[in-house]
Amino acid sequence: MGVATLGFLVALECAARHYGVPGPVTYQAQEVVFSPRSGPLLYAGLALTMVVLTWRQRLLALCAAVGIDVVFLLVRWLAGAELNFGNGALWVVLGCGVVAVTRRTGAERALLLKGAGLGLLLVAGHKTGDTWLLITSKTRPTVLDPYLVVADHALGDPSWLVGRLVEATGPFGFHSLHLVYSQLPLAAALVGLYQLRHVAAERRFPRHHLVRTFLVIGLIGPAVYMIFPVVGPVFAYGWEGGSWAVADLWPGTLPQVPVPHPIPFDDITPRNCMPSLHTAWATSLFLHTRQGSRPMRWMGTFWLVATLTATLGFGYHYGTDLVAGIVFALTVEVAMRSLARGWDRPATLLVAHGTVVFALMLVAYRYLPREMAAQPWLSGPLLVLAMASVIHGYVRTTGQWDADAKTAPAPDPGPSSAEPSPELV
């Protein structure tokens, strides 16, 4: 899996270079010395790396990261440069990798390398997403927003409705939702840390955790953007689109689209709506908090509801994007759990079912939007029912897995090994 991820990053780097911009590998390499763009994310990556360390080692790693950042900040302040932080965190993560190769052997080396790799993958996943978005804007000169505007009539045009509600809440509601929306990676890191809190004691990672699913969603999801490029209501029908917008209608007035057709758009705005990956990530975060503590469960529920509200209320997505995003997230989650525990017939059927439902949604949005809008009382419930069928399959299948895990006889740990903990999610 690590080799495949590295190959994917190199391929994406080459694609970005083709369009004259640095790719994810270059961006992450630059942050070793130059001013980072994602300081909090770099420290989140350090936190994930530190799950394999002892408490004393964690304190030393954190002090080293802060100390290095202080030196960088002083140099930038004297040079009059931008005062960003995060280099120290990246240095310590890389240092852990070097120590693993040069000073550790066997299982300890593998564990430390996994910790360093996990921290670097979290940051690389973010950089990969940025590169994907750039490629979509450069390679897809037209967008399919009119098709989703029409198809969204089947769901009652939720983006326009929630957009007006968010406007009514004023600056407080807007800034609160924006904080939740923008800090989704931080929430994922907190949940990941909660799931990985026993790694240092048990000297092994759990079979499945949130960070794996988060990364896979971020790697696969943008490929769908290339198939179904969409910029969102606030760009195609709002003030954010500038001269490229069809009209400045969002969220006050519903656009009238007699015949959906592709429309040209700029080469800057990402085509990152279908499916809504923020919805997919928030759904995955929600799922991974279900077996946590009560505060963790409340956090997962809050982040899901607030993210869904923000994606619609800011005009970044249509309702159809959210429905597709939920189906996409559940399908990926089942596939990742199956890779960890082993494939069986229910898992294979559910992944196939989710894939077919997702594909049929894309086909319906593209080729049947007028029919969906003409029969909203039929097409809307059918769309929700298709999503509900995937949700029901997920709950039933994973519920059976959990029941089987509880009734399975515990393996004999032996005289010198600790009893393995159950699967965290």
Side-chain angles (χ1 to χ4, degrees):
M1 185 176 177
V3 175
T5 302
L6 180 61
F8 177 81
L9 291 175
V10 172
L12 205 57
E13 177 77 23
C14 295
R17 290 288 181 176
H18 176 72
Y19 294 101
V21 295
V25 178
T26 301
Y27 275 129
Q28 192 155 351
Q30 288 175 341
E31 291 186 342
V32 174
V33 177
F34 296 103
S35 182
R37 299 182 180 181
S38 52
L41 189 66
L42 287 168
Y43 271 91
L46 173 61
L48 288 177
T49 299
M50 289 194 299
V51 299
V52 304
L53 306 178
T54 64
W55 281 106
R56 177 177 176 274
Q57 292 169 338
R58 291 170 186 172
L59 180 61
L60 291 174
L62 182 60
C63 290
V66 173
I68 294 171
D69 264 330
V70 169
V71 173
F72 270 97
L73 286 172
L74 287 175
V75 172
R76 290 183 182 125
W77 178 66
L78 292 173
E82 189 176 2
L83 298 180
N84 286 339
F85 68 96
N87 302 86
L90 183 56
W91 277 45
V92 172
V93 173
L94 293 172
C96 288
V98 172
V99 169
V101 173
T102 59
R103 303 292 297 275
R104 298 287 187 270
T105 59
E108 288 299 313
R109 171 186 288 179
L111 186 69
L112 190 53
L113 281 175
K114 285 181 180 179
L118 191 64
L120 291 174
L121 276 175
L122 180 69
V123 183
H126 189 270
K127 305 298 183 186
T128 298
D130 292 343
T131 304
W132 261 122
L133 299 183
L134 174 68
I135 292 175
T136 63
S137 64
K138 297 293 185 182
T139 60
R140 294 296 180 265
T142 61
V143 296
L144 304 178
D145 285 75
Y147 294 88
L148 293 190
V149 167
V150 177
D152 231 30
H153 294 336
L155 297 173
D157 306 295
S159 181
W160 269 257
L161 174 62
V162 180
R164 290 193 291 268
L165 291 176
V166 171
E167 274 195 346
T169 63
F172 175 78
F174 178 88
H175 291 300
S176 299
L177 285 175
H178 189 272
L179 179 64
V180 174
Y181 185 85
S182 61
Q183 294 305 320
L184 184 58
L186 178 60
L190 292 176
V191 175
L193 289 173
Y194 178 82
Q195 292 182 322
L196 301 175
R197 65 193 184 278
H198 299 307
V199 168
E202 298 179 354
R203 312 311 296 164
R204 67 177 182 86
F205 278 84
R207 288 176 291 174
H208 179 52
H209 52 83
L210 175 64
V211 180
R212 297 171 75 244
T213 305
F214 238 68
L215 291 172
V216 171
I217 288 175
L219 291 175
I220 298 176
V224 186
Y225 298 160
M226 305 293 287
I227 302 171
F228 210 113
V230 182
V231 292
V234 75
F235 294 99
Y237 297 97
W239 61 274
E240 288 273 14
S243 60
W244 291 93
V246 175
D248 188 0
L249 301 175
W250 187 90
T253 306
L254 279 172
Q256 301 299 318
V257 185
V259 180
H261 59 280
I263 59 174
F265 217 80
D266 62 32
D267 60 354
I268 300 173
T269 306
R271 280 63 163 151
N272 61 338
C273 284
M274 178 56 69
S276 168
L277 292 194
H278 263 80
T279 297
W281 282 320
T283 301
S284 180
L285 188 146
F286 172 81
L287 296 174
H288 280 259
T289 57
R290 291 308 86 199
Q291 295 186 14
S293 63
R294 179 175 295 180
M296 191 63 63
R297 294 196 302 271
W298 277 105
M299 172 192 167
T301 303
F302 166 77
W303 229 277
L304 175 62
V305 174
T307 300
L308 295 179
T309 304
T311 55
L312 293 173
F314 294 158
Y316 295 154
H317 289 281
Y318 303 91
T320 49
D321 303 336
L322 272 62
V323 172
I326 292 172
V327 172
F328 179 77
L330 293 174
T331 305
V332 171
E333 177 65 23
V334 171
M336 296 304 296
R337 286 193 65 168
S338 298
L339 286 173
R341 70 178 298 277
W343 285 90
D344 56 16
R345 186 172 182 273
T348 303
L349 290 177
L350 184 54
V351 170
H353 176 64
T355 303
V356 170
V357 169
F358 181 74
L360 290 177
M361 284 181 176
L362 295 184
V363 171
Y365 299 159
R366 177 63 175 84
Y367 296 105
L368 300 173
R370 298 173 67 185
E371 289 76 7
M372 293 175 66
Q375 301 290 335
W377 295 105
L378 175 63
S379 56
L382 283 177
L383 196 59
V384 174
L385 185 62
M387 177 185 70
S389 70
V390 180
I391 296 174
H392 173 71
Y394 176 85
V395 173
R396 183 181 60 184
T397 302
T398 57
Q400 185 60 50
W401 289 345
D402 294 338
D404 293 344
K406 290 179 180 179
T407 58
D412 183 8
S416 62
S417 62
E419 181 178 353
S421 64
E423 186 180 3
L424 291 178
V425 290

